[in-house]
């Protein structure tokens, strides 16, 4: 793996210093085990530990809930039920989800009561003594059942361009099919956790593993019947969120806070891995019916697709996730005639939610899978079909009407094709597969073009508080939540650069609604874009004032400086005028330099200037608010500028399949991304490799199983298989192109959080490539083999050995 960008800047680009690779601000405490997560908070005197009672059935009426025996256990402090919740409804888009079940559970794992006790032993005993009687009711468990029952959430959304129906009818070739994509668990290492403290002076302070402190604050306040100013939500860091803590942390925090308010004692609710997996929602399953029209060269002419997702029992973010899926059905490819329709289904599963990629991966899976089939149908290599259809000058407007600026896709394909020796390896694989003796191999290159911005415009805002201290060190507070991705380190780098100081001189403070209110979740990969820009605005306000003062001091004899005169009041006080400083000022190497106009440049150490500023009663702190400009997507029309820019990339994956077991090994991955000009190259590389491997789990081994009543049974690492170090690609070449043309975003960066995950789809298309070549060898003719996500070993084997399985099952 290269540790620095290897591609030279393009012609005409200004050469800027190498992007930094400062270590993550928590790296030392992570490796020494001293990083504090919610459940590492020291136990307070009188603190209570909480546990959940939930429905074992997908849908059931609560006939009786008797908690007397449970509450009689010594050490049990209280039980909370729906009757104790002031406002028993929450939700980010539709306010419709109860915090506690009132009469009817809509999914297995839906919480009906919380017990609080002085010890874990007492809690465990009390949970065993809960007497709940349920009447199991018919439930909707699949997308098909939901469609049949017209059980939907929100309205159907459509994005269209041209006339897909007419273009399909006229197309020389057509293919149709159904793509099935299943759920996946976030499998963050830290389960949902909250500790609530009733503060002596009134407000409730909640420490929550939330990606969205503001929403958590609001949901807690509503549940407790308090005004917002009586609740503070604090999020120091998460042991991974991956979207799973964007909404679903809020009700967990509310449950802990309900106990704290009732008892006046601190209350801790930390879910076990099993409870976490059973209670909380996953990546939305999707079922996509499609028809595609193309010509003999594999040029795409029309796409008509109907997407249905399983939203689970409540809306959560599913309608927004569906929108992002519709916005990514094109991925890297220009399709002249498109109609994509999306409808979220209401089922009796846990409410599904945000997960890295947020709908994008489903749209991309569709078109990348289609291209593999188109290529086989017309007898071309899939890479040629991709390169023919890729967005290019003249064909660079998406189906939702946004022009792709800074389109790197053709260059990325070209570069990776030669870097990964695609053609030679393709030939080698073709001939070894044809022999039918050695291991079965597949190769595929897919792309990503991920839109950066929340698709809901009002979420694209952030605020930051920058406190500069007189020794030249800085504390920054934003609404951003550090969940491993390194947002704090990036914000610190942006601030350090503005003041020309070392990154160690900047500390990003614990995220709290006390300092930053009305914030958006740290999501949509926009954490640094939004919060970094807000911090930069605060910095600019401070450096403007300091710049004026430096200009003023340049012309002032030393004995007239505020440090000599301010205490005595013997000189007039300098008042900062409007506008920029008369002579430009640079902040560099801990000093402030006023450009020379004719004479010598004037240089003053930053701490010295800060001291003079303080004595002149000039503020050296500020607050910045940033709102992303130029966004305008009309959800009803399905048209407009949905995104600020696109993070782009390509990856080629080679897989090896064991013909007898269907087991997959990823032999080699070559990955190339355009992340603009990274703020922190090392952190971005971590996001790229981590996101890719996380996605590999989703497309291969991660498979959720539910019992006949709808209760999740694969709720631990023994039954749910995430990638281990053994599963990572044997050869993993990852690199970034150096691109300084992204003027749309702070410092020319492009977001890295979610986009790399989508490149893992190349592993899935490589599996399909291998399976289809094997079927063709066995049957002597072309066969397009659909394989669901995840492409588990069992599914792969069933696809290769379809006749054998059919014969066995017919017995
Ligand atoms: N990386 C780590 N280590 N842990 C996480 O939880 N979440 C991902 C991504 N990378 C995540 C991560 C998701 S879903 C998003 S939206 C972004 O980080 C959020 O952070 P950012 O906006 O600062 O990139
Ligand atoms: N991405 C992530 N989270 C979100 C979004 C989005 O586009 N919209 C609302 N929440
Ligand atoms: Mo990420 S799915 O937007 O939290």
């Amino acid at each position: 793996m290269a540790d620095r960008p290897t591609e030279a800047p393009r012609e005409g680009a200004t050469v800027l210093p190498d992007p930094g690779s400062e270590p993550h601000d928590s790296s030392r405490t992570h490796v020494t085990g001293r990083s504090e997560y919610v459940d590492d908070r020291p136990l307070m005197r009188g603190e209570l530990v909480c546990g959940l009672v939930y429905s074992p059935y997908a849908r059931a009426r609560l006939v009786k809930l008797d908690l007397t025996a449970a509450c009689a256990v010594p050490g049990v402090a209280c039980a909370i039920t729906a009757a104790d919740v002031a406002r028993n409804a929450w939700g980010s888009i539709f306010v419709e989800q109860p915090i506690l079940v009132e009469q009817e559970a809509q999914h297995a794992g839906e919480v009906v009561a919380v017990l609080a006790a002085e010890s874990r032993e007492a809690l465990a005993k009390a949970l065993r003594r809960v007497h709940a009687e349920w009447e199991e009711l018919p439930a909707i468990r699949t997308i098909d059942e939901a469609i049949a029952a017209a059980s939907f959430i929100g309205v159907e959304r459509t994005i269209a361009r041209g006339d897909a129906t007419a273009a399909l009818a006229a197309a020389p070739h057509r293919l149709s099919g159904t793509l099935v994509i299943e759920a996946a668990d976030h499998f963050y290492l830290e389960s949902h956790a909250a500790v609530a403290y009733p503060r002596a002076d009134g407000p409730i302070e909640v420490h929550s593993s939330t990606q969205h402190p503001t929403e958590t604050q609001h949901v807690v306040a509503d549940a407790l019947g308090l005004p917002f100013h009586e609740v503070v939500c604090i999020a120091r860091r998460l042991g991974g969120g991956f979207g799973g803590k964007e909404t679903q942390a809020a009700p967990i925090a509310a449950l802990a806070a309900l106990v704290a308010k009732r008892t006046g004692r601190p209350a801790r609710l930390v879910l076990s891995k099993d409870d976490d997996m059973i209670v909380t929602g996953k990546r939305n399953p999707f079922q996509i019916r499609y028809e595609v029209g193309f010509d003999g060269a594999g040029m795409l002419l029309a796409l008509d697709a109907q997407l249905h997702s399983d939203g689970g029992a409540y809306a959560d973010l599913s309608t927004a996730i569906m929108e992002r899926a519709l916005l990514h059905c094109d991925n890297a490819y220009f399709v002249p005639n498109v109609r994509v329709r999306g409808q979220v289904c209401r089922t009796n599963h846990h409410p599904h939610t945000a997960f890295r990629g947020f709908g994008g991966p489903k749209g991309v899976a569709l078109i990348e899978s289609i291209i593999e089939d188109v290529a086989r149908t017309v007898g071309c290599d899939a890479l040629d079909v991709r390169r023919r259809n890729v967005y290019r000058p003249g064909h660079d407007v998406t189906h939702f009407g946004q022009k792709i600026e800074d389109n790197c896709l053709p260059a990325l394909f070209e570069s990776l094709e030669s870097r990964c020796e695609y053609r030679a390896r393709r030939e080698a694989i073709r001939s070894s597969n044809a022999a039918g003796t050695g291991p079965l191999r597949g190769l595929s290159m897919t792309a990503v073009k991920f839109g950066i911005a929340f698709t809901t415009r009002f979420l694209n805002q952030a605020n930051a508080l920058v406190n500069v201290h007189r020794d030249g060190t800085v504390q920054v507070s934003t609404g951003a939540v550090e969940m491993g991705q390194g947002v704090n380190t990036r914000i610190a780098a942006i601030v350090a650069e503005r003041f020309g100081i070392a990154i160690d001189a900047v500390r990003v403070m614990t995220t709290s609604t006390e300092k930053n209110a009305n914030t958006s979740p740290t999501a949509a990969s926009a954490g640094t874009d939004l919060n970094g820009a807000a911090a930069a605005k605060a910095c600019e306000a401070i450096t403007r004032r300091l710049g004026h003062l430096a200009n003023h001091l340049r012309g002032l004899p030393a004995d007239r400086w505020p440090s000599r005169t301010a205490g005595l009041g013997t000189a007039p006080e300098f008042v900062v005028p409007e506008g920029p400083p008369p002579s430009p000022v640079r902040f560099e190497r801990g000093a402030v330099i006023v450009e020379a106009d004719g004479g010598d440049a004037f240089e003053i150490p930053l701490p010295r200037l800060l001291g003079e500023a303080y004595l002149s009663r000039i503020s050296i702190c500020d607050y910045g608010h940033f709102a992303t400009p130029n966004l305008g997507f009309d959800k009803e029309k399905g048209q407009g500028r949905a995104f600020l820019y696109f993070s782009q990339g390509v990856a080629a994956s080679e897989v090896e399949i064991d013909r007898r077991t269907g087991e997959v090994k990823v032999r080699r991955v070559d990955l190339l991304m355009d992340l603009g000009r990274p703020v922190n190259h090392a952190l971005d590389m971590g996001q790229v490799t981590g996101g890719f491997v996380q996605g590999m789990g989703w497309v291969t081994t991660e498979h959720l199983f539910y019992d006949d009543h709808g209760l999740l049974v694969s709720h631990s690492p023994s039954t749910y298989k995430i990638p281990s170090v053994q599963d990572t690609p044997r050869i993993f070449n990852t690199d970034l192109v150096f691109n300084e043309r992204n003027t749309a975003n702070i410092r020319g960066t492009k977001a890295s959080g979610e986009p790399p995950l989508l490149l893992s789809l190349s592993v899935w298309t490589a599996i399909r490539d291998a399976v289809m070549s094997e079927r063709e060898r066995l049957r002597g003719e072309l066969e397009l083999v659909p394989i669901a996500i995840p492409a588990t070993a069992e599914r792969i084997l069933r696809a290769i050995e379809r006749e054998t399985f059919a014969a066995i099952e017919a017995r």
Side-chain angles (χ1 to χ4, degrees), residues 159-160 327 397-403 630-644 646:
I159 299 180
L327 289 163
V397 177
T398 64
H399 58 307
F400 48 95
Q402 177 166 354
K403 185 172 193 305
N630 306 325
L631 292 174
F633 179 67
D634 182 330
K635 295 188 181 197
E636 284 177 356
K637 293 201 182 88
Q639 292 291 310
R641 196 175 155 88
F643 303 113
L644 187 62
F646 297 93

PDB file of all heavy atoms in Angstrom, residues 159-160 327 397-403 630-644 646:
ATOM      1  N   ILE A 159     -37.524   9.040 -10.300  1.00  0.00           N
ATOM      2  CA  ILE A 159     -36.580   9.901 -11.002  1.00  0.00           C
ATOM      3  C   ILE A 159     -36.560   9.419 -12.443  1.00  0.00           C
ATOM      4  O   ILE A 159     -36.407   8.218 -12.695  1.00  0.00           O
ATOM      5  CB  ILE A 159     -35.165   9.836 -10.385  1.00  0.00           C
ATOM      6  CG1 ILE A 159     -35.202  10.303  -8.922  1.00  0.00           C
ATOM      7  CG2 ILE A 159     -34.192  10.698 -11.197  1.00  0.00           C
ATOM      8  CD1 ILE A 159     -33.863  10.267  -8.222  1.00  0.00           C
ATOM      9  N   ALA A 160     -36.769  10.339 -13.366  1.00  0.00           N
ATOM     10  CA  ALA A 160     -36.875   9.920 -14.764  1.00  0.00           C
ATOM     11  C   ALA A 160     -36.198  10.921 -15.684  1.00  0.00           C
ATOM     12  O   ALA A 160     -36.107  12.110 -15.379  1.00  0.00           O
ATOM     13  CB  ALA A 160     -38.338   9.759 -15.151  1.00  0.00           C
ATOM     14  N   LEU A 327     -30.928   7.871  -6.580  1.00  0.00           N
ATOM     15  CA  LEU A 327     -29.944   8.832  -7.089  1.00  0.00           C
ATOM     16  C   LEU A 327     -28.627   8.154  -7.487  1.00  0.00           C
ATOM     17  O   LEU A 327     -27.748   8.806  -8.046  1.00  0.00           O
ATOM     18  CB  LEU A 327     -29.654   9.898  -6.017  1.00  0.00           C
ATOM     19  CG  LEU A 327     -30.792  10.901  -5.754  1.00  0.00           C
ATOM     20  CD1 LEU A 327     -30.581  11.624  -4.432  1.00  0.00           C
ATOM     21  CD2 LEU A 327     -30.914  11.895  -6.896  1.00  0.00           C
ATOM     22  N   VAL A 397     -24.411  14.460 -17.692  1.00  0.00           N
ATOM     23  CA  VAL A 397     -25.513  14.936 -16.853  1.00  0.00           C
ATOM     24  C   VAL A 397     -26.262  13.704 -16.340  1.00  0.00           C
ATOM     25  O   VAL A 397     -26.598  12.803 -17.110  1.00  0.00           O
ATOM     26  CB  VAL A 397     -26.452  15.868 -17.644  1.00  0.00           C
ATOM     27  CG1 VAL A 397     -27.635  16.289 -16.776  1.00  0.00           C
ATOM     28  CG2 VAL A 397     -25.682  17.096 -18.132  1.00  0.00           C
ATOM     29  N   THR A 398     -26.488  13.661 -15.030  1.00  0.00           N
ATOM     30  CA  THR A 398     -27.126  12.485 -14.424  1.00  0.00           C
ATOM     31  C   THR A 398     -28.613  12.443 -14.752  1.00  0.00           C
ATOM     32  O   THR A 398     -29.183  13.426 -15.234  1.00  0.00           O
ATOM     33  CB  THR A 398     -26.988  12.523 -12.891  1.00  0.00           C
ATOM     34  OG1 THR A 398     -27.706  13.669 -12.415  1.00  0.00           O
ATOM     35  CG2 THR A 398     -25.537  12.620 -12.459  1.00  0.00           C
ATOM     36  N   HIS A 399     -29.228  11.318 -14.428  1.00  0.00           N
ATOM     37  CA  HIS A 399     -30.674  11.168 -14.672  1.00  0.00           C
ATOM     38  C   HIS A 399     -31.493  12.124 -13.816  1.00  0.00           C
ATOM     39  O   HIS A 399     -32.639  12.370 -14.117  1.00  0.00           O
ATOM     40  CB  HIS A 399     -31.117   9.716 -14.453  1.00  0.00           C
ATOM     41  CG  HIS A 399     -30.828   9.158 -13.083  1.00  0.00           C
ATOM     42  ND1 HIS A 399     -29.577   9.193 -12.505  1.00  0.00           N
ATOM     43  CD2 HIS A 399     -31.624   8.564 -12.174  1.00  0.00           C
ATOM     44  CE1 HIS A 399     -29.639   8.626 -11.314  1.00  0.00           C
ATOM     45  NE2 HIS A 399     -30.865   8.244 -11.081  1.00  0.00           N
ATOM     46  N   PHE A 400     -30.879  12.691 -12.751  1.00  0.00           N
ATOM     47  CA  PHE A 400     -31.625  13.684 -11.974  1.00  0.00           C
ATOM     48  C   PHE A 400     -31.222  15.104 -12.360  1.00  0.00           C
ATOM     49  O   PHE A 400     -31.548  16.065 -11.672  1.00  0.00           O
ATOM     50  CB  PHE A 400     -31.483  13.438 -10.468  1.00  0.00           C
ATOM     51  CG  PHE A 400     -30.070  13.211  -9.982  1.00  0.00           C
ATOM     52  CD1 PHE A 400     -29.324  14.276  -9.478  1.00  0.00           C
ATOM     53  CD2 PHE A 400     -29.495  11.958 -10.015  1.00  0.00           C
ATOM     54  CE1 PHE A 400     -28.021  14.078  -9.025  1.00  0.00           C
ATOM     55  CE2 PHE A 400     -28.189  11.753  -9.565  1.00  0.00           C
ATOM     56  CZ  PHE A 400     -27.460  12.810  -9.074  1.00  0.00           C
ATOM     57  N   GLY A 401     -30.492  15.224 -13.465  1.00  0.00           N
ATOM     58  CA  GLY A 401     -30.268  16.540 -14.041  1.00  0.00           C
ATOM     59  C   GLY A 401     -29.097  17.309 -13.465  1.00  0.00           C
ATOM     60  O   GLY A 401     -28.984  18.512 -13.676  1.00  0.00           O
ATOM     61  N   GLN A 402     -28.203  16.640 -12.740  1.00  0.00           N
ATOM     62  CA  GLN A 402     -27.025  17.344 -12.223  1.00  0.00           C
ATOM     63  C   GLN A 402     -25.828  17.060 -13.122  1.00  0.00           C
ATOM     64  O   GLN A 402     -25.506  15.900 -13.411  1.00  0.00           O
ATOM     65  CB  GLN A 402     -26.712  16.908 -10.777  1.00  0.00           C
ATOM     66  CG  GLN A 402     -25.449  17.572 -10.246  1.00  0.00           C
ATOM     67  CD  GLN A 402     -25.275  17.455  -8.734  1.00  0.00           C
ATOM     68  OE1 GLN A 402     -26.145  16.964  -8.027  1.00  0.00           O
ATOM     69  NE2 GLN A 402     -24.135  17.906  -8.247  1.00  0.00           N
ATOM     70  N   LYS A 403     -25.153  18.146 -13.541  1.00  0.00           N
ATOM     71  CA  LYS A 403     -23.945  17.976 -14.344  1.00  0.00           C
ATOM     72  C   LYS A 403     -22.816  17.503 -13.432  1.00  0.00           C
ATOM     73  O   LYS A 403     -22.652  18.012 -12.313  1.00  0.00           O
ATOM     74  CB  LYS A 403     -23.578  19.314 -14.997  1.00  0.00           C
ATOM     75  CG  LYS A 403     -22.398  19.219 -15.957  1.00  0.00           C
ATOM     76  CD  LYS A 403     -22.220  20.537 -16.707  1.00  0.00           C
ATOM     77  CE  LYS A 403     -21.291  20.464 -17.892  1.00  0.00           C
ATOM     78  NZ  LYS A 403     -19.961  19.979 -17.687  1.00  0.00           N
ATOM     79  N   ASN A 630     -25.412  26.287  -3.024  1.00  0.00           N
ATOM     80  CA  ASN A 630     -25.707  25.708  -4.345  1.00  0.00           C
ATOM     81  C   ASN A 630     -26.302  24.307  -4.319  1.00  0.00           C
ATOM     82  O   ASN A 630     -25.957  23.470  -5.140  1.00  0.00           O
ATOM     83  CB  ASN A 630     -24.436  25.648  -5.218  1.00  0.00           C
ATOM     84  CG  ASN A 630     -23.773  26.987  -5.333  1.00  0.00           C
ATOM     85  OD1 ASN A 630     -24.456  28.012  -5.371  1.00  0.00           O
ATOM     86  ND2 ASN A 630     -22.454  27.000  -5.353  1.00  0.00           N
ATOM     87  N   LEU A 631     -27.152  24.027  -3.339  1.00  0.00           N
ATOM     88  CA  LEU A 631     -27.844  22.742  -3.374  1.00  0.00           C
ATOM     89  C   LEU A 631     -29.297  23.006  -3.709  1.00  0.00           C
ATOM     90  O   LEU A 631     -29.894  23.933  -3.177  1.00  0.00           O
ATOM     91  CB  LEU A 631     -27.748  22.037  -2.014  1.00  0.00           C
ATOM     92  CG  LEU A 631     -26.359  21.562  -1.608  1.00  0.00           C
ATOM     93  CD1 LEU A 631     -26.398  21.019  -0.184  1.00  0.00           C
ATOM     94  CD2 LEU A 631     -25.861  20.488  -2.571  1.00  0.00           C
ATOM     95  N   GLY A 632     -29.870  22.189  -4.559  1.00  0.00           N
ATOM     96  CA  GLY A 632     -31.265  22.410  -4.908  1.00  0.00           C
ATOM     97  C   GLY A 632     -31.878  21.203  -5.583  1.00  0.00           C
ATOM     98  O   GLY A 632     -32.022  21.175  -6.802  1.00  0.00           O
ATOM     99  N   PHE A 633     -32.196  20.185  -4.793  1.00  0.00           N
ATOM    100  CA  PHE A 633     -32.822  18.992  -5.347  1.00  0.00           C
ATOM    101  C   PHE A 633     -34.288  18.977  -4.933  1.00  0.00           C
ATOM    102  O   PHE A 633     -34.587  19.062  -3.745  1.00  0.00           O
ATOM    103  CB  PHE A 633     -32.100  17.739  -4.840  1.00  0.00           C
ATOM    104  CG  PHE A 633     -32.709  16.466  -5.343  1.00  0.00           C
ATOM    105  CD1 PHE A 633     -32.659  16.143  -6.695  1.00  0.00           C
ATOM    106  CD2 PHE A 633     -33.347  15.589  -4.475  1.00  0.00           C
ATOM    107  CE1 PHE A 633     -33.216  14.965  -7.169  1.00  0.00           C
ATOM    108  CE2 PHE A 633     -33.911  14.413  -4.941  1.00  0.00           C
ATOM    109  CZ  PHE A 633     -33.850  14.095  -6.291  1.00  0.00           C
ATOM    110  N   ASP A 634     -35.151  18.888  -5.927  1.00  0.00           N
ATOM    111  CA  ASP A 634     -36.592  18.841  -5.674  1.00  0.00           C
ATOM    112  C   ASP A 634     -37.011  17.369  -5.609  1.00  0.00           C
ATOM    113  O   ASP A 634     -37.025  16.677  -6.625  1.00  0.00           O
ATOM    114  CB  ASP A 634     -37.315  19.591  -6.803  1.00  0.00           C
ATOM    115  CG  ASP A 634     -38.825  19.643  -6.603  1.00  0.00           C
ATOM    116  OD1 ASP A 634     -39.385  18.703  -5.986  1.00  0.00           O
ATOM    117  OD2 ASP A 634     -39.439  20.617  -7.081  1.00  0.00           O
ATOM    118  N   LYS A 635     -37.331  16.908  -4.405  1.00  0.00           N
ATOM    119  CA  LYS A 635     -37.635  15.478  -4.236  1.00  0.00           C
ATOM    120  C   LYS A 635     -38.896  15.074  -4.984  1.00  0.00           C
ATOM    121  O   LYS A 635     -39.009  13.934  -5.438  1.00  0.00           O
ATOM    122  CB  LYS A 635     -37.797  15.148  -2.748  1.00  0.00           C
ATOM    123  CG  LYS A 635     -36.506  15.323  -1.968  1.00  0.00           C
ATOM    124  CD  LYS A 635     -36.615  14.823  -0.548  1.00  0.00           C
ATOM    125  CE  LYS A 635     -35.285  15.055   0.156  1.00  0.00           C
ATOM    126  NZ  LYS A 635     -35.119  14.285   1.365  1.00  0.00           N
ATOM    127  N   GLU A 636     -39.842  15.991  -5.086  1.00  0.00           N
ATOM    128  CA  GLU A 636     -41.089  15.634  -5.770  1.00  0.00           C
ATOM    129  C   GLU A 636     -40.871  15.511  -7.270  1.00  0.00           C
ATOM    130  O   GLU A 636     -41.398  14.597  -7.906  1.00  0.00           O
ATOM    131  CB  GLU A 636     -42.187  16.641  -5.438  1.00  0.00           C
ATOM    132  CG  GLU A 636     -42.702  16.375  -4.026  1.00  0.00           C
ATOM    133  CD  GLU A 636     -43.748  17.360  -3.551  1.00  0.00           C
ATOM    134  OE1 GLU A 636     -44.038  18.318  -4.276  1.00  0.00           O
ATOM    135  OE2 GLU A 636     -44.237  17.152  -2.426  1.00  0.00           O
ATOM    136  N   LYS A 637     -40.076  16.407  -7.825  1.00  0.00           N
ATOM    137  CA  LYS A 637     -39.784  16.319  -9.267  1.00  0.00           C
ATOM    138  C   LYS A 637     -38.674  15.302  -9.545  1.00  0.00           C
ATOM    139  O   LYS A 637     -38.519  14.847 -10.672  1.00  0.00           O
ATOM    140  CB  LYS A 637     -39.339  17.682  -9.809  1.00  0.00           C
ATOM    141  CG  LYS A 637     -40.434  18.748  -9.791  1.00  0.00           C
ATOM    142  CD  LYS A 637     -40.086  19.865 -10.799  1.00  0.00           C
ATOM    143  CE  LYS A 637     -41.117  20.981 -10.798  1.00  0.00           C
ATOM    144  NZ  LYS A 637     -40.819  22.030  -9.801  1.00  0.00           N
ATOM    145  N   GLY A 638     -37.854  15.006  -8.537  1.00  0.00           N
ATOM    146  CA  GLY A 638     -36.738  14.093  -8.753  1.00  0.00           C
ATOM    147  C   GLY A 638     -35.640  14.719  -9.604  1.00  0.00           C
ATOM    148  O   GLY A 638     -34.891  14.021 -10.285  1.00  0.00           O
ATOM    149  N   GLN A 639     -35.515  16.026  -9.572  1.00  0.00           N
ATOM    150  CA  GLN A 639     -34.529  16.715 -10.398  1.00  0.00           C
ATOM    151  C   GLN A 639     -33.810  17.799  -9.600  1.00  0.00           C
ATOM    152  O   GLN A 639     -34.403  18.416  -8.716  1.00  0.00           O
ATOM    153  CB  GLN A 639     -35.214  17.389 -11.598  1.00  0.00           C
ATOM    154  CG  GLN A 639     -35.782  16.417 -12.628  1.00  0.00           C
ATOM    155  CD  GLN A 639     -34.711  15.669 -13.403  1.00  0.00           C
ATOM    156  OE1 GLN A 639     -33.787  16.275 -13.938  1.00  0.00           O
ATOM    157  NE2 GLN A 639     -34.815  14.345 -13.443  1.00  0.00           N
ATOM    158  N   GLY A 640     -32.566  18.046  -9.967  1.00  0.00           N
ATOM    159  CA  GLY A 640     -31.857  19.172  -9.390  1.00  0.00           C
ATOM    160  C   GLY A 640     -30.474  18.815  -8.893  1.00  0.00           C
ATOM    161  O   GLY A 640     -29.992  17.686  -9.066  1.00  0.00           O
ATOM    162  N   ARG A 641     -29.843  19.812  -8.294  1.00  0.00           N
ATOM    163  CA  ARG A 641     -28.483  19.643  -7.804  1.00  0.00           C
ATOM    164  C   ARG A 641     -28.558  19.010  -6.416  1.00  0.00           C
ATOM    165  O   ARG A 641     -28.656  19.693  -5.396  1.00  0.00           O
ATOM    166  CB  ARG A 641     -27.798  21.005  -7.757  1.00  0.00           C
ATOM    167  CG  ARG A 641     -26.300  20.910  -7.636  1.00  0.00           C
ATOM    168  CD  ARG A 641     -25.665  22.294  -7.719  1.00  0.00           C
ATOM    169  NE  ARG A 641     -24.385  22.277  -7.040  1.00  0.00           N
ATOM    170  CZ  ARG A 641     -23.239  21.946  -7.624  1.00  0.00           C
ATOM    171  NH1 ARG A 641     -23.205  21.653  -8.884  1.00  0.00           N
ATOM    172  NH2 ARG A 641     -22.118  21.934  -6.924  1.00  0.00           N
ATOM    173  N   ALA A 642     -28.505  17.673  -6.400  1.00  0.00           N
ATOM    174  CA  ALA A 642     -28.650  16.943  -5.146  1.00  0.00           C
ATOM    175  C   ALA A 642     -27.359  16.988  -4.333  1.00  0.00           C
ATOM    176  O   ALA A 642     -27.390  16.907  -3.108  1.00  0.00           O
ATOM    177  CB  ALA A 642     -29.046  15.493  -5.425  1.00  0.00           C
ATOM    178  N   PHE A 643     -26.232  17.104  -5.028  1.00  0.00           N
ATOM    179  CA  PHE A 643     -24.950  16.940  -4.348  1.00  0.00           C
ATOM    180  C   PHE A 643     -24.006  18.107  -4.639  1.00  0.00           C
ATOM    181  O   PHE A 643     -24.081  18.741  -5.690  1.00  0.00           O
ATOM    182  CB  PHE A 643     -24.292  15.624  -4.776  1.00  0.00           C
ATOM    183  CG  PHE A 643     -25.176  14.430  -4.511  1.00  0.00           C
ATOM    184  CD1 PHE A 643     -25.697  13.687  -5.553  1.00  0.00           C
ATOM    185  CD2 PHE A 643     -25.511  14.077  -3.215  1.00  0.00           C
ATOM    186  CE1 PHE A 643     -26.533  12.599  -5.317  1.00  0.00           C
ATOM    187  CE2 PHE A 643     -26.345  12.988  -2.967  1.00  0.00           C
ATOM    188  CZ  PHE A 643     -26.855  12.248  -4.017  1.00  0.00           C
ATOM    189  N   LEU A 644     -23.106  18.313  -3.693  1.00  0.00           N
ATOM    190  CA  LEU A 644     -22.115  19.371  -3.878  1.00  0.00           C
ATOM    191  C   LEU A 644     -21.043  18.923  -4.871  1.00  0.00           C
ATOM    192  O   LEU A 644     -20.563  19.698  -5.695  1.00  0.00           O
ATOM    193  CB  LEU A 644     -21.486  19.707  -2.515  1.00  0.00           C
ATOM    194  CG  LEU A 644     -20.542  20.892  -2.472  1.00  0.00           C
ATOM    195  CD1 LEU A 644     -21.271  22.177  -2.845  1.00  0.00           C
ATOM    196  CD2 LEU A 644     -19.926  21.033  -1.081  1.00  0.00           C
ATOM    197  N   PHE A 646     -18.908  14.852  -6.276  1.00  0.00           N
ATOM    198  CA  PHE A 646     -18.915  13.392  -6.215  1.00  0.00           C
ATOM    199  C   PHE A 646     -17.520  12.872  -5.847  1.00  0.00           C
ATOM    200  O   PHE A 646     -16.535  13.273  -6.458  1.00  0.00           O
ATOM    201  CB  PHE A 646     -19.317  12.799  -7.566  1.00  0.00           C
ATOM    202  CG  PHE A 646     -20.717  13.173  -7.997  1.00  0.00           C
ATOM    203  CD1 PHE A 646     -20.937  14.277  -8.810  1.00  0.00           C
ATOM    204  CD2 PHE A 646     -21.813  12.426  -7.584  1.00  0.00           C
ATOM    205  CE1 PHE A 646     -22.224  14.628  -9.210  1.00  0.00           C
ATOM    206  CE2 PHE A 646     -23.107  12.771  -7.975  1.00  0.00           C
ATOM    207  CZ  PHE A 646     -23.310  13.875  -8.787  1.00  0.00           C
TER     208      PHE A 646
END
